Amino acid sequence: MSVVEQYARAHIVTVADQGQQDPAAVPVVLRYDPDTDPSSVRIALPGPQEWTVPRELLERGLRTPAESGDVRVWPCGRVQTVVEFHSAQGAEVVQFDLKTLVRFLRRTYTAEPVRS
């Protein structure tokens, strides 16, 4: 097993969602390829947006606010994690269930590079 790919649902949080209990969930793909970049994971949001995030940053952000470049990650209560992406077009704030990210990160540590 080399590539770890997990499909998840997350909530894109916008100003219009403020006051709503449960903003609409969107499909997200979490991907880790140790052959390509063993220190990063990729998060694909709906549309053409895909972000590369240091795996260590994502893991650290599950417990405490963490930031690297254009990405910020922080815990949100006991069961959610927020990932904020910044670009020239603005910011995307995505809320994940904590267990989804924990399950994905655990799987990345069992992935091994393909040996030729």
Side-chain angles (χ1 to χ4, degrees):
M1 173 180 175
S2 63
V3 175
V4 174
E5 192 166 86
Q6 182 172 322
Y7 296 86
R9 297 199 57 77
H11 300 278
I12 302 214
V13 182
T14 66
V15 174
D17 294 331
Q18 288 182 350
Q20 289 186 16
Q21 288 289 9
D22 193 19
V26 297
V28 175
V29 179
L30 305 169
R31 189 168 204 276
Y32 172 72
D33 186 348
D35 292 321
T36 305
D37 187 354
S39 65
S40 297
V41 298
R42 298 181 78 69
I43 300 175
L45 302 174
Q49 290 189 302
E50 185 170 285
W51 294 84
T52 300
V53 177
R55 182 170 62 162
E56 183 274 330
L57 172 71
L58 191 57
E59 189 169 0
R60 193 168 18 109
L62 299 177
R63 296 178 307 278
T64 186
E67 179 177 354
S68 177
D70 296 333
V71 181
R72 295 182 184 129
V73 183
W74 67 90
C76 182
R78 293 185 190 177
V79 297
Q80 296 178 323
T81 301
V82 174
V83 182
E84 183 177 280
F85 304 100
H86 290 266
S87 69
Q89 291 77 32
E92 291 263 19
V93 180
V94 184
Q95 191 172 44
F96 289 91
D97 285 339
L98 174 65
K99 65 183 177 183
T100 299
L101 294 177
V102 168
R103 186 179 317 119
F104 171 71
L105 286 168
R106 279 187 186 144
R107 290 179 60 211
T108 68
Y109 286 106
T110 63
E112 296 180 14
V114 174
R115 309 221 189 280
S116 303

